Amino acid sequence: MKNLKYKNQSKNLCFRWLPGLRLIAFLLATTVAFAQQSISLEKAIELAKSNNIDLKIADKEIEKQTVLKKAAFQPDPLQVQYQGGQFNSVDFDHNVSVQQFFPLGNITKANRQLQEELAKLAEKRKALSSYEIEKAVTLAYYQYLYGISIQKLNSELNDIYTKFLKNAELRFKTGESGNIEVISAKAKVKEIETQKAQLEYDLAIYQKQLQFFIQTDENIVPDSNTALQYTFIESQENTKAEVLMTDFYQQQISVYQKEAGTLKALRTPKVGLGYFAQTINTESLFQGFTAGLQIPLFGGVNTTKAKAAEISVSQSQLALDRNKMMLNLQREELQNNFQKQQKNLNYYKNEGLQYANQIIETAQKSYANGDMSYWSYISFLNQAIDIKKQFAEATHSYNQSAIELQFPTIKNN
């Protein structure tokens, strides 16, 4: 008896809180809906790429490497020397000399070529980042659409059970059924209303996830006219992921090759030109010119570094071969999962949904006419609702697998 009283109190407490929950959900929905901007997936991706901080940093890296091309010519610092003392006679004389060494050979050309390749490598890195952003925005976009589909299903269930509640109340008044049907129907309607409030929060979270990837202060939401099912574009040619990955590693190889060439060029001598002016026996001004060579007799360090760069070339080629193999295996796995999800979705689209709608329609008519018991009606209704839920889940799983197949993960390390 005590437990029954406690349950009744808990039930009454829940019912008292439900209006508050509905108010909170309404306010949240109103806040989210305020000044919302509905955009297409293409526009969302475009905005994300123009707003993304990482891509802006990548642009600065490209700019930096481009500017550094001007530093390809690298002369030694100007040497200025003063000498004073008795180096000619007992008199105190002065000597001032200036000398400058310049690189010979193709070291300037090698430096410029290396810097050009580094700028191109920064562009390839940006392309990889852009690819990942496009994938993230697409996933977040369809995650929000999934939330909308669940919300619509919740509204549909609310309509079904509201109608069921009216029928149950009518049958109870006419004495055709007991009060248990009315209580059960009311409990289900309240449950659906509570779920509606929770779905409002879920949808707000999905919206913020999309807004995060687009990196904007505006309340961006997907276009309501967008089809719930993601349009997968299958290509027999090399995928975009493979092209981007290959370009990145080949550019990395090119950088290491140019680095090796630059280090080898450092072994060439440097020519120096100088000028001096001095006093002799305190009489001035005596002048002259000097010329000389800097010969790297101990150039083994640069030779070793050049060999290390050549080893890095081999490492990058091996990494490319490995990641190509991993990408192909990943693509096969994703293709199998995609086909599985596609087959599952096709069942619900072609048959499952029709069965669910027929079950609901037939059960409602039969129950309203008194041809079906309450428990049979509930059983059929739950079966139909479960099919509709599975359809929403099947669509979401299909979209996830299709997007993953469209944008397989690229390994670049």
Side-chain angles (χ1 to χ4, degrees):
M1 196 69 176
K2 184 178 180 180
N3 291 337
L4 180 59
K5 181 179 179 182
Y6 175 76
K7 289 179 179 179
N8 289 334
Q9 290 175 343
S10 300
K11 184 177 180 181
N12 292 333
L13 183 62
C14 289
F15 285 167
R16 286 200 302 270
W17 274 100
L18 281 175
L21 289 174
R22 288 198 294 270
L23 177 60
I24 292 172
F26 172 76
L27 292 175
L28 179 64
T30 304
T31 303
V32 172
F34 180 72
Q36 282 186 341
Q37 182 182 354
S38 178
I39 60 174
S40 65
L41 175 60
E42 292 74 18
K43 182 64 177 177
I45 293 172
E46 180 185 340
L47 280 175
K49 290 182 178 181
S50 63
N51 294 340
N52 188 268
I53 299 299
D54 290 334
L55 291 186
K56 290 180 180 180
I57 293 173
D59 284 332
K60 289 299 180 182
E61 179 65 21
I62 295 170
E63 182 181 351
K64 181 181 75 174
Q65 298 299 340
T66 302
V67 168
L68 285 173
K69 287 194 290 185
K70 298 178 181 179
F73 179 65
Q74 299 177 4
D76 284 0
L78 179 68
Q79 296 181 10
V80 180
Q81 185 175 2
Y82 167 79
Q83 183 180 10
Q86 298 172 321
F87 49 83
N88 288 314
S89 66
V90 294
D91 297 321
F92 195 94
D93 286 309
H94 306 276
N95 178 286
V96 176
S97 62
V98 179
Q99 192 171 36
Q100 177 69 64
F101 279 89
F102 301 92
L104 292 176
N106 63 350
I107 181 62
T108 299
K109 180 181 178 181
N111 281 334
R112 184 178 294 108
Q113 290 177 341
L114 173 59
Q115 212 55 55
E116 288 173 352
E117 298 305 320
L118 285 170
K120 291 178 183 177
L121 183 61
E123 292 174 355
K124 303 301 180 184
R125 283 200 178 97
K126 179 187 175 183
L128 289 175
S129 297
S130 179
Y131 170 88
E132 293 298 335
I133 289 168
E134 185 175 351
K135 176 181 179 179
V137 171
T138 304
L139 285 169
Y141 194 92
Y142 277 89
Q143 180 74 39
Y144 184 91
L145 291 178
Y146 165 70
I148 290 292
S149 70
I150 296 297
Q151 199 175 52
K152 288 180 179 178
L153 177 59
N154 180 267
S155 297
E156 185 180 345
L157 296 181
N158 186 62
D159 292 340
I160 291 172
Y161 274 102
T162 299
K163 186 181 294 186
F164 166 56
L165 175 58
K166 290 180 180 179
N167 289 334
E169 288 174 337
L170 180 61
R171 289 162 64 93
F172 175 68
K173 289 179 182 179
T174 58
E176 298 179 37
S177 63
N179 194 34
I180 184 63
E181 295 185 17
V182 177
I183 295 174
S184 177
K186 284 183 178 179
K188 192 65 179 179
V189 170
K190 295 298 181 181
E191 177 186 340
I192 293 172
E193 289 177 352
T194 304
Q195 290 174 349
K196 180 181 179 181
Q198 294 172 340
L199 290 173
E200 292 289 351
Y201 284 107
D202 288 341
L203 204 60
I205 292 171
Y206 298 153
Q207 189 276 329
K208 290 303 176 185
Q209 288 175 344
L210 178 61
Q211 188 177 338
F212 169 78
F213 289 117
I214 296 178
Q215 295 192 355
T216 177
D217 293 331
E218 298 179 6
N219 287 324
I220 300 293
V221 295
D223 186 351
S224 58
N225 295 322
T226 305
L228 179 60
Q229 183 177 338
Y230 176 74
T231 302
F232 174 71
I233 303 173
E234 190 169 8
S235 175
Q236 298 298 326
E237 302 176 358
N238 290 338
T239 64
K240 184 178 181 180
E242 185 173 353
V243 171
L244 288 172
M245 184 183 68
T246 302
D247 286 350
F248 173 79
Y249 278 105
Q250 286 180 343
Q251 186 58 40
Q252 196 176 65
I253 289 171
S254 182
V255 167
Y256 287 134
Q257 289 173 338
K258 297 301 181 184
E259 183 181 355
T262 301
L263 291 167
K264 289 177 182 178
L266 288 174
R267 297 178 298 185
T268 58
K270 294 181 179 180
V271 63
L273 298 175
Y275 164 81
F276 69 89
Q278 73 173 65
T279 63
I280 299 178
N281 296 329
T282 67
E283 295 183 9
S284 60
L285 178 67
F286 298 91
Q287 308 177 71
F289 296 91
T290 61
L293 286 176
Q294 286 185 352
I295 302 174
L297 295 177
F298 305 99
V301 173
N302 289 327
T303 300
T304 302
K305 289 181 178 179
K307 289 181 179 178
E310 291 170 350
I311 293 173
S312 295
V313 170
S314 300
Q315 287 178 318
S316 293
Q317 184 60 56
L318 289 171
L320 174 59
D321 295 339
R322 177 199 63 190
N323 289 335
K324 273 187 176 180
M325 180 184 66
M326 291 175 63
L327 182 62
N328 289 332
L329 291 174
Q330 179 190 175
R331 197 159 47 201
E332 290 177 6
E333 180 181 348
L334 292 173
Q335 182 69 41
N336 289 334
N337 185 51
F338 170 74
Q339 290 175 351
K340 181 181 76 172
Q341 301 300 339
Q342 187 178 43
K343 186 175 181 180
N344 189 42
L345 178 60
N346 286 340
Y347 160 73
Y348 286 104
K349 287 176 63 178
N350 299 330
E351 298 181 60
L353 270 186
Q354 286 81 349
Y355 292 148
N357 291 329
Q358 289 173 9
I359 291 171
I360 293 173
E361 183 179 357
T362 303
Q364 285 178 334
K365 289 181 179 179
S366 299
Y367 181 73
N369 295 331
D371 299 330
M372 181 180 291
S373 69
Y374 162 73
W375 299 112
S376 296
Y377 174 71
I378 289 297
S379 177
F380 283 121
L381 199 58
N382 287 337
Q383 180 185 2
I385 291 169
D386 187 58
I387 292 174
K388 286 180 173 287
K389 287 181 179 178
Q390 289 179 25
F391 168 68
E393 292 292 340
T395 305
H396 181 55
S397 297
Y398 168 86
N399 288 343
Q400 296 288 308
S401 65
I403 294 169
E404 288 290 344
L405 182 58
Q406 197 86 65
F407 300 94
T409 302
I410 300 176
K411 300 290 185 181
N412 61 341
N413 49 35

